[in-house]
């Protein structure tokens, strides 16, 4: 029963990743059909990110009210309806309208499943979970490109993804009794101290919580800055062609996905704190390699090293949350951590673009090194402060 539930969770994370990159993959054509300028994509991106941030911060309340299984079902249904709605609309207003449930559903299911796996499964499953998200995130654009390369339109690609999400929704609905039995069994086995609800809010801005939130903020800032500006940096600074730059940036994401899959086999032996430390050091070496590289081959290696270094950081930080703060607080804290992660990934890369417009993209490796150092300092502080919320 637990194995079947884990399989459903993995499939849910593939479903979570499916719509994440389809807007960028299709917008060059979509905006023409909707009759708007190409830069209107920013409105949709902010809407989706804003919905994700809101639902992440509310996830503690939502998980407590609905439980993980029903919340995952409802959230996945919202994303399926949103993508289907985008398929049939011919108006930017309605396309934007359906972006709202897409963001709200993604944030809720992301936080709920991360918290559930952190509480009930070993570290290797958390790494594999996020590796499966990468499978979905890579598959979504592939589906779109498949239809765009033929006589079909982007709408058939969106419809295919919507049907996949509706299929997943049916599986989640059928699995609701399994979620209930597993959670009831887990509650029976929990010590009384862990099952009683927290009476006081843990979110006073103490050193420990601030350190954790900053790690997530600057991790996502690092990852999304590589995604947003990696190609521009390579083209402007190292004279890569557009196709060479795209392939190099893809190595960064392949490093993350492959690294998480491989880390799953050794995570139980090394432990989350050591994995986080190793990942940050490896990412630092990668950023330093890009900064000091004189040859293109070294720059490519640097992109791959940053991806491999980033691989264990996010899953290990999430999985370590119950150990650092207690399982009674984990669902609310993971929601806040996810919220700060989306804030860092949404707002910091555009700020880098504004600064680079007036200076140069040559400073991108310096910025990445600064982000990684802040992550390292904050995560090391977490291990020194201890296991209470009162610090």
């Amino acid at each position: 029963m637990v194995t079947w539930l884990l399989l459903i969770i993995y499939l849910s994370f593939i479903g979570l990743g499916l719509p994440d990159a389809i807007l960028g993959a299709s917008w060059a054509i979509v905006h023409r059909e909707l009759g708007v300028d190409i830069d209107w994509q920013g409105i949709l991106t902010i809407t989706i990110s804003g919905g994700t941030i809101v639902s992440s911060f509310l996830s503690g309340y939502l998980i407590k009210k609905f439980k993980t299984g029903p919340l995952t079902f409802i959230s996945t249904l919202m994303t399926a309806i949103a993508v289907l709605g985008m398929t049939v609309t011919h108006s930017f207003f309605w396309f934007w309208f359906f972006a709202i449930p897409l963001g709200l559903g993604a944030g809720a299911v992301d936080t709920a499943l991360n918290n559930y796996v952190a509480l009930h499964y070993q570290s290797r499953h958390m790494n594999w979970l996020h590796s499966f998200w990468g499978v979905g995130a890579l598959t979504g654009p592939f589906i779109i490109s498949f239809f765009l390369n033929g006589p079909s339109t982007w709408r058939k690609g969106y419809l295919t993804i919507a049907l996949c999400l509706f299929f997943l929704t049916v599986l989640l609905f059928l699995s609701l009794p399994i979620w209930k039995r597993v959670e009831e069994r887990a509650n029976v086995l929990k010590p009384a101290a862990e099952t009683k609800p927290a009476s006081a809010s843990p979110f006073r801005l103490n050193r420990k919580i601030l350190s954790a939130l900053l790690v997530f903020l600057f991790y996502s800032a690092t990852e999304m800055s590589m995604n947003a500006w990696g190609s521009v940096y390579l083209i402007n600074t190292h004279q890569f062609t557009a196709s060479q730059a795209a392939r190099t940036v893809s190595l960064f994401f392949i490093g993350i996905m492959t690294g998480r899959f491989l880390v799953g086999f050794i995570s139980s032996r090394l432990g989350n704190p050591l994995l986080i430390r190793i990942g940050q050091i490896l990412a630092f070496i990668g950023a330093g390699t890009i900064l000091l590289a004189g040859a293109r081959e070294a720059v490519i290696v640097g992109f791959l090293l940053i991806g491999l270094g980033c691989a264990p950081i996010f899953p290990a930080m999430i999985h370590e949350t119950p150990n650092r703060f207690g399982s009674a607080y984990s669902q609310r804290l993971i929601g806040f951590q996810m919220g700060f992660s989306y804030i860092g990934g949404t707002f910091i890369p555009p700020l880098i673009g504004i600064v680079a417009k007036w200076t140069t993209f040559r400073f991108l490796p310096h910025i990445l090194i600064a982000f990684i150092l802040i992550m390292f300092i904050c995560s090391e502080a977490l291990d020194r402060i201890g296991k209470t919320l009162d610090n």
Side-chain angles (χ1 to χ4, degrees):
M1 184 167 59
V2 175
T3 302
W4 280 108
L5 185 57
L6 184 60
L7 177 61
I8 291 169
I9 292 172
Y10 284 155
L11 290 175
S12 297
F13 243 63
I14 293 176
L16 179 66
L18 271 176
D20 273 10
I22 62 173
L23 183 62
S26 62
W27 185 248
I29 295 175
V30 173
H31 83 93
R32 297 175 192 163
E33 289 197 24
L34 298 181
V36 296
D37 292 334
I38 196 167
D39 59 359
W40 284 42
Q41 182 183 356
I43 299 173
L44 299 171
T45 301
I46 291 174
T47 300
I48 295 170
S49 299
T52 305
I53 292 167
V54 169
S55 59
S56 296
F57 282 127
L58 293 176
S59 62
Y61 167 78
L62 294 173
I63 294 171
K64 184 177 180 181
K65 183 174 179 62
F66 295 105
K67 303 301 182 185
T68 302
L71 180 60
T72 303
F73 163 70
I74 295 169
S75 300
T76 305
L77 179 61
M78 287 173 62
T79 61
I81 292 172
V83 177
L84 181 63
M86 290 175 171
T87 302
V88 300
T89 185
H90 293 270
S91 160
F92 177 81
F93 171 80
W94 286 108
F95 201 95
W96 168 82
F97 175 82
F98 285 114
I100 298 172
L102 182 61
L104 290 172
V109 70
D110 196 2
T111 305
L113 292 178
N114 271 299
N115 178 66
Y116 191 86
V117 173
L119 288 174
H120 300 290
Y121 293 97
Q122 295 178 341
S123 177
R124 66 174 181 268
H125 295 299
M126 182 65 78
N127 282 279
W128 290 336
L129 184 72
H130 285 268
S131 182
F132 274 96
W133 173 86
V135 172
L138 289 173
T139 303
F142 174 78
I143 292 173
I144 297 297
S145 66
F146 174 80
F147 285 101
L148 290 180
N149 289 332
S152 304
T153 68
W154 62 271
R155 296 181 187 277
K156 289 190 176 181
Y158 274 53
L159 178 60
T160 302
I161 291 170
L163 292 175
C164 292
L165 292 172
F166 276 114
F167 175 74
L168 177 58
T169 301
V170 172
L171 289 181
L172 287 167
F173 179 77
L174 296 176
S175 72
L176 289 178
I178 300 177
W179 286 93
K180 185 176 181 181
R181 288 197 295 270
V182 171
E183 289 190 347
E184 286 175 349
R185 181 184 299 177
N187 288 334
V188 169
L189 296 176
K190 277 183 183 179
E194 293 291 341
T195 57
K196 66 180 182 180
S199 58
S201 170
F203 299 114
R204 298 186 304 273
L205 197 59
N206 56 50
R207 288 186 298 145
K208 188 167 188 180
I209 291 176
L210 180 60
S211 296
L213 296 180
L214 287 176
V215 172
F216 282 90
L217 184 131
F218 283 103
Y219 170 82
S220 287
T222 300
E223 180 179 320
M224 298 312 296
S225 296
M226 289 285 288
N227 181 40
W229 305 119
S231 290
V232 178
Y233 168 80
L234 292 170
I235 293 169
N236 290 349
T237 306
H238 293 279
Q239 289 72 53
F240 278 56
T241 66
S243 60
Q244 290 171 337
R247 287 195 298 269
T248 303
V249 173
S250 70
L251 279 178
F252 166 72
F253 287 102
I254 290 172
I256 292 178
M257 188 175 67
T258 305
R260 285 173 179 170
F261 179 75
L262 296 175
V263 165
F265 292 102
I266 60 174
S267 57
S268 297
R269 279 176 284 178
L270 297 182
N272 292 322
L274 181 57
L275 282 173
I276 295 166
R277 189 175 298 122
I278 292 172
Q280 290 166 344
I281 292 172
L282 192 59
F284 181 85
I285 293 172
T289 301
I290 296 173
L291 176 64
L292 301 175
R296 287 187 175 190
E297 291 76 11
V299 176
I300 294 171
V301 170
F303 270 69
L304 181 61
L305 286 176
I306 295 178
L308 291 171
C310 285
I313 297 173
F314 195 97
M317 283 291 300
I318 290 287
H319 193 264
E320 193 65 12
T321 300
N323 293 331
R324 285 172 168 161
F325 298 98
S327 60
Y329 295 102
S330 67
Q331 64 188 31
R332 296 186 66 188
L333 280 164
I334 287 177
F336 270 63
Q337 289 171 164
M338 296 298 294
F340 268 74
S341 171
Y342 289 121
I343 290 172
T346 301
F347 297 107
I348 292 182
L351 291 177
I352 294 175
I354 293 171
V355 172
K357 181 179 180 180
W358 297 104
T359 56
T360 173
F361 276 103
R362 287 185 178 275
F363 291 115
L364 182 63
H366 299 81
I367 294 170
L368 295 174
I369 287 172
F371 289 172
I372 295 166
L373 283 175
I374 294 171
M375 273 196 290
F376 183 81
I377 292 169
C378 291
S379 61
E380 291 297 308
L382 278 171
D383 293 328
R384 291 197 302 272
I385 290 171
K387 292 190 176 183
T388 71
L389 289 168
D390 301 324
N391 294 288

